[in-house]
Amino acid sequence: MPGVETDSISRERSRTGRWLHEHALLLVCLAIFLLCLVGMAVSGYQVYTDDRLEHGGTAIAFGDYFRSGHFIEATFENWESEFLQMGAYVVLTIFLFQKGSSESKPMGERTPQDEDPRHAAVGPGTPWPVRRGGIWLVLYENSLAIFFFVLFALSFWFHAVGGAEVYSAEQAQHGLPTVGVIEYLGTSQFWFESMQNWQSEFLAVAAIVGASVYLRQRGSPESKPVATPHHETGA
């Protein structure tokens, strides 16, 4: 019946709209990421092609560019620093504090994040590793840091893989010997590429930790309430 079909469509749209609302932050960030990645690929391909032509080479297909050291190195060099930053921040905020910062746990008191899950009441919605216990719980209660450090390690390696190809190509142009991935890890070029990104990530973390003591952004969970005194720490 038309009325039943209309109600079904309305309910489906309502569920879809609710799902989009509940996941909007993740979806928007992923959309911006994809747009920027596409922009990086397009512009990087043009830079790479121009460089090849200037040195007497030939252009490659756009699809082949994604397998080139130029694209791999540029992509994972940046991902590496981001995942290092997030992993280190997750771990450092367990033990370290900043008085007055919204990014710090309150000082001198226990928070829900400090509670031992082994003593928690178990219900239907309790995560499976908590109900199971043992090694599964040990892994799960550290899974956020593990997640970021695994991604950091993978990005670190692919940065080295792509960077070794780019570095070797430049060496060959100057009549110098090429290097393997392990050899490239020992070059100053690799560590220059890494450190120039790492320093900026930790500067950004320090900036929000320090700025959130005195500055506010109404409506953002990264800020304390606007009227909160500067000395009050955490949420």
Side-chain angles (χ1 to χ4, degrees), residues 175-216:
L176 299 172
T178 60
V179 298
V181 176
I182 300 302
E183 292 174 298
Y184 182 61
L185 288 172
T187 65
S188 57
Q189 177 66 27
F190 174 79
W191 291 105
F192 171 69
E193 292 168 353
S194 292
M195 293 298 176
Q196 70 175 331
N197 285 284
W198 294 5
Q199 56 86 18
S200 64
E201 298 301 335
F202 285 99
L203 174 62
V205 170
I208 192 170
V209 168
S212 65
V213 176
Y214 303 102
L215 306 180
R216 308 286 188 269

Side-chain angles (χ1 to χ4, degrees), residues 18 25 30-31 67 168-169:
R18 183 168 60 252
L25 182 58
L30 288 175
R67 297 192 297 271
S168 292

Side-chain angles (χ1 to χ4, degrees), residues 206-230:
I208 192 170
V209 168
S212 65
V213 176
Y214 303 102
L215 306 180
R216 308 286 188 269
Q217 179 56 58
R218 183 179 176 186
S220 174
E222 297 303 311
S223 167
K224 294 185 294 186
V226 177
T228 301
H230 294 326

Side-chain angles (χ1 to χ4, degrees), residues 24-90:
L25 182 58
L26 174 61
L27 293 173
V28 169
C29 286
L30 288 175
I32 294 173
F33 157 71
L34 290 174
L35 288 172
C36 292
L37 185 64
V38 170
M40 171 189 160
V42 171
S43 57
Y45 173 69
Q46 188 61 57
V47 170
Y48 182 67
T49 300
D50 290 346
D51 184 66
R52 285 176 63 90
L53 294 176
E54 287 176 4
H55 290 87
T58 58
I60 63 172
F62 182 62
D64 293 335
Y65 174 65
F66 291 96
R67 297 192 297 271
S68 71
H70 188 271
F71 178 79
I72 293 172
E73 185 273 330
T75 300
F76 288 100
E77 175 188 334
N78 286 280
W79 289 13
E80 164 197 314
S81 61
E82 300 294 343
F83 294 135
L84 173 64
Q85 174 210 55
M86 296 306 300
Y89 189 57
V90 166

